[in-house]
């Protein structure tokens, strides 16, 4: 049997695109296989950076291509389930409503998988109307955290499944070198203000003996701010192997933003799998992931709390315990064999 994923592929690497590649590389139980209808952005638009504005012509071409490819792939009799992965933005939902209708026309099951914290994204009346519409059209709604599950359950009777993102088995580390003092703080993701990157630059001004390394496509304002701080290094987008290498060399992973589209951070899960102690904001699934045991959770946009957290984590014995907790947590709850089994159980329940 086959599941069709409605999801983007790289480039850029990261986010939903990274999850898509993991699904393509995974060995699924009960002989399930994966096919993809690529939903990546087209034209000059960027996912992160200065050029994020939609071009209506490009978006129209993108939608027509997605709908046509989905209709064609549903001609395969082995394709039983369509699994749509989107943020809960109005435009994304409207596009996927058409995908849901095509799927129903072909008499297949449709899952909408919200890759965000839904209440942080749904801000207008129209947004809530289309959200309820696609939930009611779907056979199952997947979410990444408890906030999203509660929100969906309040607007729709469609069954919800709370399933986290997953880490490939070969990414699970068994140890991480813990230095006496913090020498490197690492961030991975879109290097933008809402991801907390300006706050990290402010922290770097305070901790001048620590190098702050930021991986990902960056906004011009971040570049301008970073250029004046000697201990901030912008590495730009990097291949996954390089990201993993940076994680193994870092002392702390920092993820202190409040990006509306955040649901369950792949980068944070990867850092935990590498045994990195983590400094995170109380946003999306961050607190659920590290539980105040794999690092320190701080309020959003609280620089003083971030300073205190780094000073607390500067003790080697503190970071040793945090590192051990994170590796164990990922192995038990976020490893691919654990999470993929939940996906397949959901698919088969629909059949």
């Amino acid at each position: 049997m086959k599941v069709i994923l409605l999801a983007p592929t790289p480039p850029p690497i990261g986010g939903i695109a990274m999850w898509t590649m993991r699904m393509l590389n995974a060995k699924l139980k009960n002989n399930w296989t994966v096919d993809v209808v690529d939903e990546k952005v087209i034209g000059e638009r960027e996912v992160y950076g200065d050029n994020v504005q939609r071009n209506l012509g490009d978006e129209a071409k993108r939608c027509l291509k997605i709908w046509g490819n989905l209709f064609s792939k549903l001609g395969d009799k082995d394709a039983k389930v369509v699994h749509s992965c989107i943020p809960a933005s109005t435009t994304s939902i409207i596009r996927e409503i058409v995908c849901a209708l095509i799927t129903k026309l072909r008499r297949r099951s449709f899952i909408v998988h919200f890759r965000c914290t839904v209440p942080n994204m749904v801000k207008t009346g129209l947004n809530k109307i289309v959200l309820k519409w696609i939930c009611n059209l779907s056979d199952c709604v997947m979410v990444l955290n408890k906030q999203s599950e509660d929100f969906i359950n309040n607007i729709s009777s469609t069954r919800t499944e709370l399933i986290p993102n997953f880490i490939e088995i070969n990414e699970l580390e068994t140890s991480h070198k813990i230095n006496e003092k913090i020498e490197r703080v690492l961030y991975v993701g879109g290097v933008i203000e809402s991801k907390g990157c300006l706050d990290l630059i402010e922290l770097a001004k305070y901790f001048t003996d620590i190098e702050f390394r930021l991986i990902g496509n960056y906004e011009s304002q971040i570049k301008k701010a970073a250029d004046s701080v000697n201990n901030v290094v912008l590495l730009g987008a990097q291949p996954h192997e390089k990201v993993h290498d940076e994680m193994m060399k870092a002392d702390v992973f920092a993820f202190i933003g409040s990006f509306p589209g955040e649901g369950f951070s792949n980068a944070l899960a990867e850092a935990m799998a590498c045994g990195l102690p983590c400094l995170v904001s109380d946003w999306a699934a961050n607190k659920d992931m590290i539980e105040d045991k794999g690092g320190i959770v701080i309020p959003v946009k609280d620089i003083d709390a971030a300073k205190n957290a780094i000073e607390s984590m500067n003790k080697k014995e503190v970071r040793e315990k945090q590192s051990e907790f994170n590796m164990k947590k990922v192995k038990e709850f976020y490893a691919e064999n654990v999470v993929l089994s939940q996906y397949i159980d959901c698919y088969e329940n629909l059949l």
Side-chain angles (χ1 to χ4, degrees):
M1 289 183 285
K2 183 181 293 183
V3 57
I4 297 174
L5 301 181
L6 295 172
T9 61
I13 199 71
I16 303 177
M18 191 65 206
W19 176 87
T20 306
M21 297 310 297
R22 287 187 170 131
M23 287 292 287
L24 283 170
N25 293 332
K27 183 175 176 58
L28 304 180
K29 70 178 184 180
N30 299 346
N31 296 317
W32 278 81
T33 60
V34 173
D35 199 357
V36 174
V37 172
D38 195 350
E39 292 194 329
K40 70 161 57 109
V41 298
I42 62 174
E44 299 299 319
R45 180 185 161 207
E46 299 172 329
V47 177
Y48 299 116
D50 297 317
N51 187 23
V52 297
Q53 289 296 112
R54 285 181 168 85
N55 177 284
L56 291 180
D58 287 339
E59 287 301 301
K61 292 176 185 176
R62 179 185 175 206
C63 288
L64 289 172
K65 183 178 179 181
I66 290 168
W67 299 332
N69 287 345
L70 174 60
F71 189 86
S72 176
K73 287 181 182 293
L74 285 172
D76 184 344
K77 61 181 178 58
D78 290 330
K80 303 296 184 182
V81 177
V82 174
H83 184 160
S84 165
C85 303
I86 58 170
S89 65
T90 302
T91 52
S92 296
I93 294 173
I94 291 173
R95 183 189 68 235
E96 300 305 288
I97 285 173
V98 177
C99 292
L101 293 171
I102 291 171
T103 303
K104 295 299 181 180
L105 180 65
R106 288 286 200 165
R107 299 182 182 277
R108 305 299 206 283
S109 296
F110 186 85
I111 296 170
V112 62
H113 192 168
F114 291 115
R115 314 292 300 195
C116 61
T117 301
V118 177
N120 292 340
M121 289 288 291
V122 179
K123 299 298 184 182
T124 67
L126 176 60
N127 201 172
K128 192 168 184 178
I129 289 170
V130 296
L131 176 73
K132 184 174 181 178
W133 187 1
I134 196 168
C135 289
N136 290 340
L137 272 175
S138 301
D139 298 287
C140 177
V141 179
M142 285 187 186
V143 294
L144 295 174
N145 52 51
K146 190 66 167 60
Q147 303 101 297
S148 298
E149 182 181 39
D150 292 341
F151 191 88
I152 296 298
N153 286 338
N154 283 331
I155 67 168
S156 176
S157 60
T158 301
R159 180 166 61 91
T160 59
E161 293 279 356
L162 199 170
I163 304 178
N165 289 336
F166 65 92
I167 295 296
E168 292 175 299
I169 295 296
N170 61 7
E171 293 180 288
L172 301 179
E173 298 291 343
T174 57
S175 65
H176 187 94
K177 181 183 178 183
I178 305 297
N179 293 317
E180 287 295 330
K181 297 292 183 180
I182 296 174
E183 299 173 8
R184 283 188 176 190
V185 171
L186 180 69
Y187 165 83
V188 178
V191 184
I192 58 179
E193 181 179 1
S194 61
K195 292 267 190 174
C197 295
L198 286 179
D199 292 340
L200 289 178
I201 293 172
E202 286 302 309
L203 281 177
K205 295 176 183 177
Y206 185 80
F207 295 100
T208 56
D209 56 337
I210 298 175
E211 186 175 62
F212 287 71
R213 299 172 70 81
L214 283 63
I215 295 178
N217 292 327
Y218 47 80
E219 294 176 324
S220 56
Q221 67 167 331
I222 303 294
K223 177 72 164 60
K224 183 177 180 180
D227 282 346
S228 62
V229 185
N230 293 333
N231 57 323
V232 174
V233 180
L234 299 183
L235 297 169
Q238 296 291 331
H240 193 246
E241 296 76 14
K242 173 65 173 177
V243 173
H244 185 268
D245 182 58
E246 287 283 341
M247 286 184 173
M248 294 305 294
K249 293 177 180 177
D251 298 295
V252 170
F253 185 79
F255 193 68
I256 58 173
S258 55
F259 180 60
E262 203 68 65
F264 182 105
S265 170
N266 282 331
L268 178 56
E270 290 171 22
M272 293 173 66
C274 288
L276 260 177
C278 299
L279 168 62
V280 303
S281 55
D282 189 1
W283 189 257
N286 296 354
K287 186 175 182 179
D288 295 337
M289 294 168 74
I290 71 166
E291 300 182 34
D292 282 325
K293 297 176 183 177
I296 296 180
V297 182
I298 64 169
V300 172
K301 298 185 182 300
D302 192 332
I303 295 293
D304 289 336
K307 290 177 182 177
N308 293 336
I310 290 180
E311 288 171 349
S312 172
M313 295 172 75
N314 216 12
K315 299 172 184 176
K316 182 178 180 180
E317 60 272 19
V318 169
R319 283 178 285 119
E320 284 175 337
K321 293 179 181 178
Q322 293 168 342
S323 176
E324 290 172 5
F325 173 85
N326 284 339
M327 288 184 288
K328 182 179 179 182
K329 177 74 180 282
V330 172
K331 184 177 180 180
E332 291 183 359
F333 294 98
Y334 308 143
E336 64 178 314
N337 58 309
V338 177
V339 176
L340 291 175
S341 181
Q342 295 176 58
Y343 287 148
I344 300 304
D345 290 345
C346 179
Y347 300 159
E348 294 183 347
N349 285 337
L350 295 182
L351 302 183

